[in-house]
């Protein structure tokens, strides 16, 4: 068993810490931001968060292996704050000729006519023509989950500490500082880097491929009958339409935007109005047909998805003599890929231990 320090208490760091501590490793989680904080540098609290598969089939391992765990939590662990919701994914007529395999706004296959995830969900079905709104050419329906991040992230912390993990607040200037942060007082055998968007600023990593994908949302008290998303909107390439009602009273997320390279932390009121209009138009049930004035707003928010050119980074390297396993760059799928990615990290940790012994100094 190894002494491990995990950098990051977002969904990636916490899920990885949980899977490592379950294996019997001695785990310390160090982070600038923790569950309970709302900060533009800390993405996880801002997420919806639901499961709407985005990967292309070749890269679907992370999401494919996460779904059964989230499904089981929704079925068996109500305290985790995850529930099932019927989901509709609609492809607009105007996007029909744009690309038959990949959605125009995401780098994903969510809107593919024959998606790999058709076999992932028990009740996946294509919608019949008479079920489609006028501007929609095709769509599908399945039962997915929505997580209340304000409940789920603290639940993950609770699971970790119950199994012996220790949490420490700190701001690291350089990744090698993490190696001496273990609560045991001994040097860490392995450091896990789950620093999200800040991987572009963390000394020793400074990954220039990492960039923000700005997501503006409106959280309301009104309930959405189902989770819904469309392949595009009439409001420009960076604007999206999606709705999801969070478990255990978490409100409904109305989304959103997907603006690559945009660091702006402030909600834009004009965008907020457009988000609300699109949502109420698509789901009049939100306000009983009364328009956006009948939305009861909890908060306007902005989160920055950790995008990465080339995709997620799950790999090992040695920095200043300490083996490091990276787990960052999850863009808009950090929750729905969380357990699959943590499993990938555990495999790399096992490799380091097997190849080098737990002092791990020879790779
Ligand atoms: P973060 O949550 O940002 O955590 C990074 C951690 O690293 C923090 O604790 C931070 O303090 C720490 N850290 C970084 N640098 C340092 C340092 N130098 N020193 C100490 N600590 C450091 N995903 C889904 O799966 N489903 C969805 O429906 C969904 N919807 C989304 C909607 C919006 C509006 C947004 C913005 C995102 C959405 N996402 C969704 C994406 C998801 O939120 C992210 O992929 C995920 O939260 C990334 O988590 P992370 O743990 O990698 O990063």
């Amino acid at each position: 068993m190894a002494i491990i320090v995990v950098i990051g208490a977002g969904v990636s760091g916490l899920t990885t810490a949980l899977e490592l501590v379950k294996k019997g490793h001695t785990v310390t989680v160090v982070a600038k931001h923790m569950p309970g904080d709302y900060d533009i540098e800390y993405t996880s609290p801002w997420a919806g968060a639901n499961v709407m598969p985005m990967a292309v089939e070749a890269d679907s391992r992370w999401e494919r292996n996460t779904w059964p765990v989230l499904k089981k939590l929704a079925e068996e662990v109500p305290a985790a704050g995850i529930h099932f919701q019927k989901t509709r994914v609609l492809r607009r007529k105007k996007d029909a000729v744009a690309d038959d395999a990949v959605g125009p706004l995401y780098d994903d296959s969510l809107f593919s006519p024959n998606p790999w995830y058709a076999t992932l969900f028990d009740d996946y079905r294509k919608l019949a023509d008479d079920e489609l709104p006028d501007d929609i050419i095709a769509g599908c329906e399945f039962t997915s989950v929505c997580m209340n991040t304000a409940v789920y992230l603290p639940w993950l912390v609770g699971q970790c500490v119950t199994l012996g993990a220790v949490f420490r607040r700190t701001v690291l200037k350089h990744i090698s500082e993490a190696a001496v942060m273990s609560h045991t007082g001994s040097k860490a055998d392995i450091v896990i880097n789950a620093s999200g968007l800040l991987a572009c600023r963390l000394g020793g990593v400074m990954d220039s491929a990492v960039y923000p994908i700005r997501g503006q949302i409106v959280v309301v008290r009104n309930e959405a009958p189902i989770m819904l998303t469309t392949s595009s909107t009439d409001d420009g390439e960076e604007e999206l339409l999606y709705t999801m009602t969070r478990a255990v009273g978490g409100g409904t997320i109305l989304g959103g935007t997907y603006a690559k390279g945009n660091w702006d932390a402030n909600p834009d009121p004009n965008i907020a109005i457009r988000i609300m209009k699109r949502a109420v138009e698509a789901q009049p049930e939100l306000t009983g047909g009364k328009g956006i004035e009948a939305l009861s707003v909890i908060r306007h928010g902005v989160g920055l998805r950790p995008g990465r050119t080339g995709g997620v980074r799950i790999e090992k390297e040695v920095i200043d003599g300490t083996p490091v396993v990276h787990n960052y760059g999850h863009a808009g799928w950090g929750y729905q890929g969380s357990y699959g990615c943590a499993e990938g990290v555990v495999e790399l940790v096992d490799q380091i231990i097997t190849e080098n012994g737990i002092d791990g100094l020879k790779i």
Side-chain angles (χ1 to χ4, degrees):
M1 292 302 110
I3 295 173
I4 297 178
V5 172
V6 176
I7 303 169
V11 69
S12 309
L14 293 175
T15 313
T16 306
L18 179 57
E19 294 307 298
L20 289 168
V21 83
K22 275 187 198 165
K23 295 263 176 193
H25 297 299
T26 303
V27 174
T28 311
V29 179
V30 299
K32 182 176 179 184
H33 309 94
M34 295 277 181
D37 301 347
Y38 281 87
D39 192 293
I40 196 63
E41 293 181 336
Y42 183 35
T43 311
S44 293
W46 299 107
N50 68 9
V51 174
M52 292 251 191
M54 292 181 185
V56 294
E57 183 159 18
D59 293 328
S60 63
R61 171 190 169 184
W62 317 121
E63 292 180 336
R64 202 184 280 279
N65 290 357
T66 299
W67 170 247
V69 187
L70 295 178
K71 182 173 177 239
K72 197 159 190 279
L73 288 174
E75 281 164 351
E76 297 176 10
V77 188
I82 303 177
H83 70 168
F84 289 111
Q85 265 199 299
K86 203 56 120 180
T87 305
R88 281 193 176 196
V89 174
L90 303 177
R91 189 179 186 89
R92 299 177 82 211
K93 281 183 180 157
K94 61 181 291 194
D95 301 326
V97 292
D99 185 334
D100 257 2
V102 177
L105 294 182
Y106 308 85
D107 302 320
D108 65 46
S109 61
L110 181 61
F111 300 100
S112 164
N114 295 301
W116 62 266
Y117 63 80
T119 53
L120 191 68
F121 299 102
D122 300 334
D123 60 350
Y124 174 94
R125 71 177 182 93
K126 284 189 180 178
L127 294 173
D129 286 349
D130 62 3
E131 293 178 285
L132 302 175
D134 283 348
D135 60 335
I136 300 299
I137 190 155
C140 64
E141 185 182 86
F142 51 90
T143 301
S144 182
V145 294
C146 184
M147 289 156 263
N148 182 342
T149 62
V151 174
Y152 181 60
L153 294 171
W155 179 83
L156 282 174
V157 173
Q159 296 302 294
C160 288
V161 294
T162 300
L163 292 171
V166 172
F167 283 72
R168 303 179 75 181
R169 286 263 191 181
T170 192
V171 182
L172 303 170
K173 284 201 168 68
H174 195 281
I175 191 167
S176 44
E177 295 165 25
V180 294
M181 289 293 299
S182 170
H183 65 277
T184 61
S186 300
K187 186 177 174 297
D189 299 309
I190 300 168
V191 166
I192 312 297
N193 173 24
S195 57
L197 182 60
L198 295 185
C200 69
R201 294 186 184 154
L202 179 60
V205 181
M206 301 286 266
D207 188 338
S208 59
V210 172
Y211 60 91
I213 307 170
R214 183 179 184 278
Q216 182 168 330
I217 51 159
V218 185
V219 191
V220 298
R221 294 183 180 83
N222 312 61
E223 285 189 7
I226 57 166
M227 295 198 283
L228 180 74
T229 191
T230 56
S231 56
S232 66
T233 72
D234 288 332
D235 294 323
E237 292 219 330
E238 293 183 340
E239 301 215 12
L240 311 176
L241 162 62
Y242 62 86
T243 62
M244 63 186 88
T245 297
R246 285 172 163 176
V248 287
T252 296
I253 304 288
L254 310 180
T257 62
Y258 199 86
K260 292 182 179 178
N262 187 336
W263 288 89
D264 187 359
N266 299 309
D268 176 326
N270 292 319
I271 291 178
I273 297 283
R274 291 200 292 272
I275 288 173
M276 293 189 282
K277 277 190 172 161
R278 289 194 296 266
V280 168
E281 238 167 64
Q283 290 187 311
E285 303 93 329
L286 272 166
T287 53
K290 288 189 186 144
I292 68 168
E293 293 74 17
L295 287 172
S296 171
V297 176
I298 300 170
R299 86 174 71 87
H300 296 274
V302 172
L304 301 179
R305 303 170 182 92
R308 184 169 184 270
T309 306
V312 69
R313 185 177 186 199
I314 298 179
E315 63 185 23
K316 55 182 179 167
E317 70 169 321
V318 177
I319 301 178
D320 293 338
T322 303
V324 171
V325 180
H326 298 288
N327 181 13
Y328 65 84
H330 304 81
W333 54 273
Y335 283 83
Q336 65 196 38
S338 54
Y339 287 94
C341 291
E343 178 191 74
V345 171
V346 168
E347 285 171 14
L348 294 176
V349 164
D350 287 347
Q351 277 177 27
I352 291 169
I353 290 170
T354 306
E355 290 163 12
N356 307 289
I358 61 160
D359 61 4
L361 294 178
K362 287 185 293 186
I363 63 173

